[in-house]
Amino acid sequence: MNNIVQISNDFIESNTDFSELIQQIGSYFKQNEVLVPMRHHHDFPNPKVNSDSTLLLMPAWNPSKDAGVKVVTVSPENGQFDLPSIQGTYIYLDATKGGVKAIIEAKSLTVKRTAAASALASKYLSRKDASTLLMIGTGALSINLIKAHASVRPIKDVFVWGRNFQKAQDICYALKAEDFNCTPIETIEQKISEVTIISCATLSKSPLVFGAKLQPGQHLDLVGAYKKDMREADNDAIKKATVFVDTFQGGLKESGDIVIPIAEGIISESDIKADLFSLTTNTHVGRKTNNEITLFKSVGHALEDLAAASYYYKKFTNE
């Protein structure tokens, strides 16, 4: 037990190179050696806040190499307690002997790997000359998504929208030292039809991105809407876009952005073109033309957590 290391959010925040992390996660998808059971997803009543909370268990096992499980709670009403909606811990294991190698705070690990996965998809799906980004949402993911996308594309101008304009201002202030300009905006409509990448990370139950506003050549990155009754894009957006997911295992089952259009007959499962396994192995080319509208739906995957846990463990131990 004395050999178990503890890796804090502060360490992760100070020791993340998105280019490295994106490469690490991409290599795990490309090698496709990790065994990942379907995540455990349990909703529990939380009567004190009149809303459900969710428990997620996300195990992954790379035989005789590395293994781990993330234990996460999602409580959408935590804002009233001045706490993040998502909280959790990652238990990093010795895949050969079964012991615990590290306890990793999961907040920063999760947002970093999520942002890195979106940027990994963007390498295949957004235009190579993409220079403008609209960030919809002002939660913990927002700054990380902006930085991750900017690490793979020549982003020069970023626009941030949130229901709380002050939070959008705060994000841009936090990014003032970056190589791109960041501007808070009052409405999504101000910029949604002008930018080349739209990244959306919210807990919205109704669409914020409407297909009528999308233009040829745009890439839409949907990161929020982690439950079947949540969605960030409307049916028109789904119909206009070439749709990709992080994994078929979770992407077709967990988010309203995909589940609802399939249930309503707007699209079929066969309309989902590829996942990150296919993109990283070049089984699917990704974006085919500059005028194509591409859409990436991320629900998260335990492979991403394991790749990130391995990355931070090696950083921490200098292995």
Side-chain angles (χ1 to χ4, degrees):
M1 295 293 288
N2 292 335
N3 293 326
I4 299 175
V5 301
Q6 297 189 32
I7 303 176
S8 68
N9 288 323
D10 288 342
F11 178 86
I12 293 171
E13 291 294 332
S14 301
N15 291 274
T16 299
D17 180 317
F18 271 116
S19 295
E20 294 176 351
L21 183 57
I22 292 163
Q23 182 178 8
Q24 169 100 343
I25 292 174
S27 70
Y28 271 54
F29 273 107
K30 185 174 182 178
Q31 293 163 14
N32 196 12
E33 296 174 346
V34 179
L35 305 177
V36 181
M38 192 69 181
R39 80 171 81 182
H40 293 252
H41 185 132
H42 306 282
D43 294 330
F44 294 99
N46 193 347
K48 285 191 175 181
V49 295
N50 195 33
S51 176
D52 283 355
S53 290
T54 302
L55 173 68
L56 300 172
L57 303 175
M58 302 172 67
W61 204 280
N62 195 349
S64 296
K65 294 182 180 179
D66 52 8
V69 60
K70 188 168 71 174
V71 182
V72 172
T73 57
V74 184
S75 300
E77 302 301 319
N78 267 7
Q80 62 187 278
F81 305 116
D82 198 27
L83 291 171
S85 299
I86 299 173
Q87 300 187 74
T89 298
Y90 195 88
I91 303 170
Y92 186 53
L93 303 170
D94 184 317
T96 301
K97 301 173 184 176
V100 177
K101 295 171 70 173
I103 304 295
I104 307 173
E105 290 190 66
K107 176 187 174 183
S108 291
L109 179 142
T110 300
V111 296
K112 300 295 185 190
R113 67 80 156 148
T114 302
S118 282
L120 175 64
S122 184
K123 288 177 62 177
Y124 299 94
L125 302 179
S126 68
R127 291 174 52 143
K128 288 182 171 57
D129 62 353
S131 62
T132 51
L133 168 68
L134 169 61
M135 183 70 240
I136 299 174
T138 55
L141 265 168
S142 302
I143 286 178
N144 291 283
L145 282 162
I146 292 168
K147 288 183 175 181
H149 278 292
S151 75
V152 299
R153 290 293 184 254
I155 301 298
K156 298 300 180 185
D157 292 291
V158 174
F159 304 95
V160 181
W161 177 87
R163 289 189 171 91
N164 184 324
F165 185 70
Q166 180 62 53
K167 289 184 178 180
Q169 290 179 311
D170 291 344
I171 286 173
C172 287
Y173 182 80
L175 294 169
K176 64 180 182 178
E178 299 297 324
D179 292 333
F180 47 77
N181 299 314
C182 187
T183 306
I185 57 175
E186 296 276 5
T187 67
I188 294 172
E189 289 72 25
Q190 280 178 252
K191 291 295 176 180
I192 192 169
S193 298
E194 300 177 12
V195 297
T196 41
I197 298 175
I198 303 160
S199 186
C200 193
T202 72
L203 296 175
S204 181
K205 290 197 172 184
S206 57
L208 297 169
V209 176
F210 297 92
K213 300 292 184 180
L214 298 182
Q215 301 299 315
Q218 289 183 312
H219 172 59
L220 180 55
D221 172 40
L222 301 180
V223 184
Y226 66 95
K227 295 171 69 173
K228 294 178 182 178
D229 63 345
M230 294 177 170
R231 63 186 309 186
E232 296 180 305
D234 72 349
N235 285 341
D236 284 343
I238 301 295
K239 286 169 62 177
K240 289 180 73 172
T242 307
V243 181
F244 301 82
V245 293
D246 50 358
T247 69
F248 285 109
Q249 182 190 51
L252 295 179
K253 298 178 176 65
E254 296 187 22
S255 171
D257 279 313
I258 302 297
V259 171
I260 293 172
I262 289 177
E264 293 179 353
I266 302 300
I267 59 170
S268 63
E269 290 190 7
S270 62
D271 290 317
I272 312 301
K273 299 302 182 183
D275 62 6
L276 286 175
F277 291 106
S278 296
L279 291 172
T280 54
T281 56
N282 295 316
T283 304
H284 192 287
V285 69
R287 172 178 287 273
K288 294 181 178 179
T289 71
N290 277 344
N291 288 328
E292 186 178 9
I293 297 173
T294 54
L295 184 154
F296 175 68
K297 176 56 201 168
S298 168
V299 297
H301 193 251
L303 177 150
E304 299 162 13
D305 292 310
L306 183 59
S310 173
Y311 172 77
Y312 292 115
Y313 181 79
K314 290 175 181 176
K315 287 256 185 181
F316 191 87
T317 59
N318 295 312
E319 286 189 2

